Amino acid sequence: MTLWGGRFSTKLNDQAWDLNSSLPVDQRMAIQDVDGSLAWASALHKANILSDEEYTSISLGLDTVKGEFASGKFLFVPSDEDIHTAVERRLTELIGVTAGKLHTGRSRNDQVATDFRLWMLQAIPHLLSAFSLLQATLLEQAELAGETLMPGYTHLQRAQPILLSHWWLSHYHPLQRDRERLTDLIKRVSILPLGSGALAGTPIPVDRAALAESLGFAVASPNSLDSVSDRDFAAEFLFCATMTGIHLSKLSEQIVLYTSAEFGFFELSDAFSTGSSLMPQKKNPDVFELTRGKAGTLIGLLTGLLATLKGLPSAYDKDLQEDKAPVFAAIDTLLAVLPVIAGALRTITTKPERMRNAIDSFMMATDLADYLVSKGIPFRETHVIAGKAVRVAGEKNIQLEELSLEAYQALSLAFEADVYQVFDPLKSIEKRNAIGGTSLQSVKNQIQQIKGD
Ligand code: ARG
């Protein structure tokens, strides 16, 4: 039984049926569909469309249907075109023809948009907890890192020394922005479409503000035409998920690099590494590579939905049925990835001596220029002098700290014996003490601020 058979003389072609059916995707919104129906039944009752008896029968029936979903006992039948049809079909089996009154003044257009938003309102908090777990891990590692130094890179070339804790926290903050974006999105998801009808509004005198409140929505949508086709929240959610994917891919890329023998800054625990079927020695960072790869898939989900939405005429178009699969896939992806990355990072081994050994005196060339600045020479000149020192040391194939004082003084008479202090990477780090810098105190402040948030 379809919900729309009256005006048709033949049944839908089997393959067209399969194309049209959305049950494989939208059955995930079963509980939300029943909850939406319970609220609508109550609104119909308040509007005197349902008698006391009919309302009791419908709501008890819907409670049974909900129980069947919750316990996994609900049986779908081949004629269930979508989750809305399945719920109404089962309600009819349970309570008879009174079930047919439930859809009064409602359309699947406002119904599906309501279900989807309800589903998202419940899914976002799950995602936020998964974020919290990973952020807690990053913070924990930042605290454990203490005074461990590592090379910082720009263009993937050795740049300046940094604290390992600063590096860990540099991956905390993007996730915090992602959390804020997701939290902010909630207010744009929390808008109730139910009561918009198919497109023009409902003829039932429902108090939509009360209906919104009863379902946990902040407000009722202000325009029925917009409301049945507004999928901004889904696109916005996919952007949030994609941005997280990109942040995780950036972190993953660095773990892949830093666990390679060439860097050797970290070693993954066996529980989060995989081997090769051919090469017995291999220990591969698959979970980080997959995370990096899934960022690509997430970008595809976002651009796919945006392309679907582009140019659609007002109100509901069946194209919109394509909205749920990418959102579900994005949530599933993040919920699969976030705890694994958290686990892999919690159990990773740091190799401080490898990190320290990768800091050479050339990474303090900026400090060398700053040293001359402290002697009153303009930075533009000191940059050139320090650059010359780099060239001379490079030609001699020695470190900057191995250049003799005479060699330095040949470049500038402002150099004195204390110049060699600039090659201590910890001193370089300690100078970067302004808010957001890599000094011990500055990083300590960052941690305190995070903990206070
Ligand atoms: N399965 C549909 C969807 O997900 C439900 C809405 C159907 N509306 C309609 N007018 N055919 O979008």
Side-chain angles (χ1 to χ4, degrees), residues 22 26 82 84 108-109 112 316 318 320-321 323-324:
S22 56
D26 61 28
D82 53 27
H84 327 296
R108 279 183 297 167
N109 299 351
V112 73
Y316 183 82
K318 196 65 177 242
L320 292 174
Q321 185 164 284
D323 59 355
K324 289 169 276 315

Side-chain angles (χ1 to χ4, degrees), residues 4 20-23 26 29 81-84 107-113 198 231 316-324:
W4 40 265
N20 194 49
S21 168
S22 56
L23 189 65
D26 61 28
M29 308 189 304
E81 175 186 333
D82 53 27
I83 190 61
H84 327 296
S107 157
R108 279 183 297 167
N109 299 351
D110 56 350
Q111 188 178 359
V112 73
R231 297 294 185 275
Y316 183 82
D317 302 280
K318 196 65 177 242
D319 316 46
L320 292 174
Q321 185 164 284
E322 294 295 310
D323 59 355
K324 289 169 276 315

Side-chain angles (χ1 to χ4, degrees), residues 414-431:
F415 280 119
E416 291 173 70
D418 62 353
V419 62
Y420 294 97
Q421 290 176 13
V422 306
F423 301 117
D424 176 353
L426 192 57
K427 281 214 168 67
S428 164
I429 280 170
E430 282 305 84
K431 276 191 277 172

Side-chain angles (χ1 to χ4, degrees), residues 34 38 61 78 93 123 169 187 192 223 237 254 257 274 280 322:
V34 178
L38 279 164
E93 287 168 7
L169 293 177
K187 65 173 180 276
L192 177 77
N223 180 308
F237 171 76
Q254 285 170 80
L257 275 176
T274 32
E322 294 295 310

Side-chain angles (χ1 to χ4, degrees), residues 117-133:
R117 285 172 180 268
L118 262 183
W119 191 91
M120 296 258 319
L121 286 176
Q122 287 158 21
I124 291 173
H126 282 296
L127 206 48
L128 290 174
S129 337
F131 272 92
S132 301
L133 181 73

Side-chain angles (χ1 to χ4, degrees), residues 119-400:
W119 191 91
M120 296 258 319
L121 286 176
Q122 287 158 21
I124 291 173
H126 282 296
L127 206 48
L128 290 174
S129 337
F131 272 92
S132 301
L133 181 73
L134 176 54
Q135 285 184 293
T137 304
L138 292 166
L139 186 60
E140 199 179 294
Q141 287 291 12
E143 289 192 281
L144 283 173
E147 298 190 10
T148 305
L149 314 182
M150 77 185 296
Y153 300 86
T154 63
H155 310 261
L156 208 54
Q157 307 291 319
R158 286 177 178 175
Q160 290 175 341
I162 54 173
L163 286 180
L164 172 60
S165 53
H166 198 51
W167 181 83
W168 281 117
L169 293 177
S170 76
H171 295 288
Y172 175 97
H173 296 287
L175 292 174
Q176 185 60 19
R177 294 194 292 276
D178 293 339
R179 282 177 62 92
E180 284 168 17
R181 250 188 294 275
L182 267 182
T183 308
D184 189 66
L185 171 62
I186 293 173
K187 65 173 180 276
R188 283 177 295 285
V189 182
S190 196
I191 301 170
L192 177 77
L194 197 59
S196 298
L199 74 161
T202 184
I204 311 295
V206 286
D207 177 351
R208 292 190 63 223
L211 184 61
E213 204 185 322
S214 72
L215 278 168
F217 283 88
V219 287
S221 59
N223 180 308
S224 61
L225 271 183
D226 171 44
S227 157
V228 290
S229 64
D230 170 13
R231 297 294 185 275
D232 296 9
F233 66 96
E236 207 178 327
F237 171 76
L238 285 172
F239 173 76
C240 294
T242 303
M243 203 63 239
T244 301
I246 289 171
H247 290 146
L248 295 177
S249 77
K250 188 171 166 174
L251 167 62
S252 297
E253 166 66 7
Q254 285 170 80
I255 298 291
V256 170
L257 275 176
Y258 292 172
T259 52
S260 69
E262 281 66 21
F263 281 86
F265 292 173
F266 294 113
E267 187 178 342
L268 291 178
S269 91
D270 285 0
F272 290 95
S273 328
T274 32
S276 156
S277 60
L278 178 75
M279 298 165 284
Q281 86 285 8
K282 290 301 293 291
K283 182 169 178 182
N284 294 330
D286 288 28
V287 297
F288 290 97
E289 293 169 287
L290 283 166
T291 303
R292 192 176 57 186
K294 283 179 192 294
T297 307
L298 286 165
I299 292 169
L301 295 172
L302 168 63
T303 52
L305 181 65
L306 290 174
T308 297
L309 297 177
K310 180 194 169 294
L312 284 187
S314 258
Y316 183 82
D317 302 280
K318 196 65 177 242
D319 316 46
L320 292 174
Q321 185 164 284
E322 294 295 310
D323 59 355
K324 289 169 276 315
V327 169
F328 293 164
I331 293 233
D332 291 345
T333 299
L334 290 182
L335 288 178
V337 159
L338 287 164
V340 175
I341 295 298
L345 295 182
R346 202 179 323 112
T347 52
I348 208 165
T349 306
T350 304
K351 307 280 181 162
E353 63 302 331
R354 290 282 307 194
M355 294 183 184
R356 176 64 187 83
N357 291 341
I359 300 173
D360 61 32
S361 60
F362 292 100
M363 297 184 77
M364 270 67 75
T366 318
D367 302 277
L368 188 63
D370 290 343
Y371 168 88
L372 291 179
V373 168
S374 74
K375 308 271 175 185
I377 306 174
F379 180 73
R380 271 293 144 246
E381 284 173 43
T382 70
H383 187 284
V384 175
I385 298 166
K388 284 182 180 160
V390 168
R391 177 148 43 108
V392 175
E395 279 163 5
K396 292 188 193 293
N397 205 14
I398 57 172
Q399 286 292 313
L400 276 180

